[in-house]
Amino acid sequence: MRTVSLVVASDPIVLEERIVQEMNNFDPASEELRVFDLREDEVSDLVAMLSQAPMFVSRFRILVRSFEALKAEDAPFLAEGFTAMADEHIVVLFSSDKRLPKALSGLKDPVLEKVELTVGKEAERRSFISSVFAAAGVRLTNQAIALVTEHAGVDLSQVNPLARVLAGLQRGSDSFDVADIRPYLGQAREVPLWTLTDAIERGELGKAMAVLERLLAAQKAPQLLITVLQRRYLDMVVLVSPGVRSLEQAKAALDSVGARKPPDFALRNMLSAARRLNYHSAVTIVSWLADAARDLRGESLLDADAVLQLLVARMTRLFVG
């Protein structure tokens, strides 16, 4: 029986972790990854993708963020799209709200399979952490799981990176014990860099500052963060144009200045963010980044952390409008 997975979590960090986990499951040899965001993308584009057959791979892995933003009037249209979708596709919906429009809650084929990630209590966090390690093929003793749960606290952003580290060390059916994992707990505070630009471009100031704090705590060099931001927003300036509306136009615009082209799903996100800026605001961001780079070289009385905090706050507010 065909299924569509609906992942629900009220905690945005937990939801982001599961999205990262699904992206890590992507197999480029047999799949093409497509990521939609219903706060920005049209439902019609998603429905069109569901019925398409991929040309060079076996299937699409389709991830749909912000599914709670689905409008009630679009639900019947999407239900028809699910019914007509190709059997081989993998579809995962991510939502902060477990309620579903009536048109979707009664689906029979495919079945909408709901996975609720509630991690407020310690037992719930422990269960979530256990599921992450199991999905990574990592075996832990109960005492080791308890240690990871205590170490993570409410910040579950460190669990998936730790699971990836230990997966590379897993040998046979042996389980990691407390003494085995303790040296690696300090390495588990990785946060994907794209989560910072994602929060900035959504205008989510609290999340952007929290992600920045985690990156700095993980010993990410301030100069590296500035370089990543400069590269992204210099490219975005090229996309802030009335003549750049489609994915193909965006690729052509980046080609014209010799800029690197990200994967299609990442370029769609960049193009969507560019539409929330005008040319003046895009150039302002680039100017702020140049100022911050100079400040990090010692041309400011602010320390490096403060320089980045001020920069991220100003950029996020600019995307809010």
Side-chain angles (χ1 to χ4, degrees), residues 262-278:
D264 283 0
F265 73 91
L267 183 54
R268 284 190 185 91
N269 289 342
M270 185 186 294
L271 184 57
S272 177
R275 290 170 182 159
R276 293 194 287 274
L277 299 175
N278 55 42

Side-chain angles (χ1 to χ4, degrees), residues 254-268:
L254 292 174
D255 269 339
S256 70
V257 296
R260 64 179 185 85
K261 291 193 294 294
D264 283 0
F265 73 91
L267 183 54
R268 284 190 185 91

Side-chain angles (χ1 to χ4, degrees), residues 32-257:
E32 182 175 335
L33 180 64
R34 294 298 180 94
V35 182
F36 292 87
D37 189 322
L38 292 193
R39 288 194 291 187
E40 300 165 356
D41 297 317
E42 296 293 334
V43 171
S44 58
D45 295 336
L46 170 58
V47 170
M49 178 61 58
L50 291 170
S51 61
Q52 286 184 24
M55 295 183 62
F56 304 110
V57 292
S58 301
R59 64 191 178 195
F60 293 133
R61 181 178 291 270
I62 303 172
L63 310 183
V64 184
R65 305 177 66 172
S66 307
F67 192 68
E68 69 277 2
L70 176 69
K71 298 175 182 176
E73 58 267 27
D74 289 333
F77 180 43
L78 182 56
E80 292 176 6
F82 284 144
T83 301
M85 81 175 189
D87 292 349
E88 62 271 17
H89 295 340
I90 295 174
V91 181
V92 187
L93 317 173
F94 299 92
S95 178
S96 61
D97 189 345
K98 63 182 179 182
R99 294 172 297 180
L100 281 172
K102 185 176 180 180
L104 294 175
S105 59
L107 275 180
K108 300 298 183 184
D109 183 23
V111 171
L112 207 58
E113 187 176 70
K114 188 182 296 185
V115 179
E116 293 191 45
L117 306 178
T118 55
V119 293
K121 299 178 181 178
E122 181 177 346
E124 294 169 339
R125 294 200 305 274
R126 181 172 177 144
S127 175
F128 172 75
I129 288 169
S130 297
S131 71
V132 171
F133 284 107
V138 176
R139 298 177 179 84
L140 298 181
T141 64
N142 289 336
Q143 292 82 0
I145 291 174
L147 176 62
V148 174
T149 304
E150 178 184 358
H151 179 77
V154 297
D155 181 6
L156 297 175
S157 63
Q158 52 185 294
V159 176
N160 203 47
L162 176 60
R164 291 201 296 272
V165 170
L166 295 181
L169 303 173
Q170 180 76 54
R171 294 293 180 269
S173 59
D174 293 342
S175 295
F176 291 98
D177 203 353
V178 169
D180 301 319
I181 68 169
R182 198 183 294 278
Y184 299 99
L185 291 178
Q187 299 181 24
R189 298 186 180 276
E190 171 195 347
V191 180
L193 288 172
W194 61 262
T195 58
L196 177 59
T197 54
D198 190 61
I200 289 171
E201 290 158 17
R202 290 170 179 268
E204 297 174 350
L205 181 58
K207 182 177 177 181
M209 300 306 287
V211 171
L212 176 62
E213 182 179 348
R214 293 190 186 103
L215 288 169
L216 293 173
Q219 306 301 310
K220 293 290 186 185
Q223 290 81 3
L224 169 64
L225 298 180
I226 287 291
T227 299
V228 169
L229 293 172
Q230 283 180 319
R231 184 186 305 130
R232 179 171 182 82
Y233 294 107
L234 282 170
D235 290 348
M236 192 175 290
V237 168
V238 180
L239 304 182
V240 181
S241 165
V244 179
R245 306 300 298 173
S246 69
L247 192 64
E248 293 308 315
Q249 289 170 334
K251 290 178 180 179
L254 292 174
D255 269 339
S256 70
V257 296

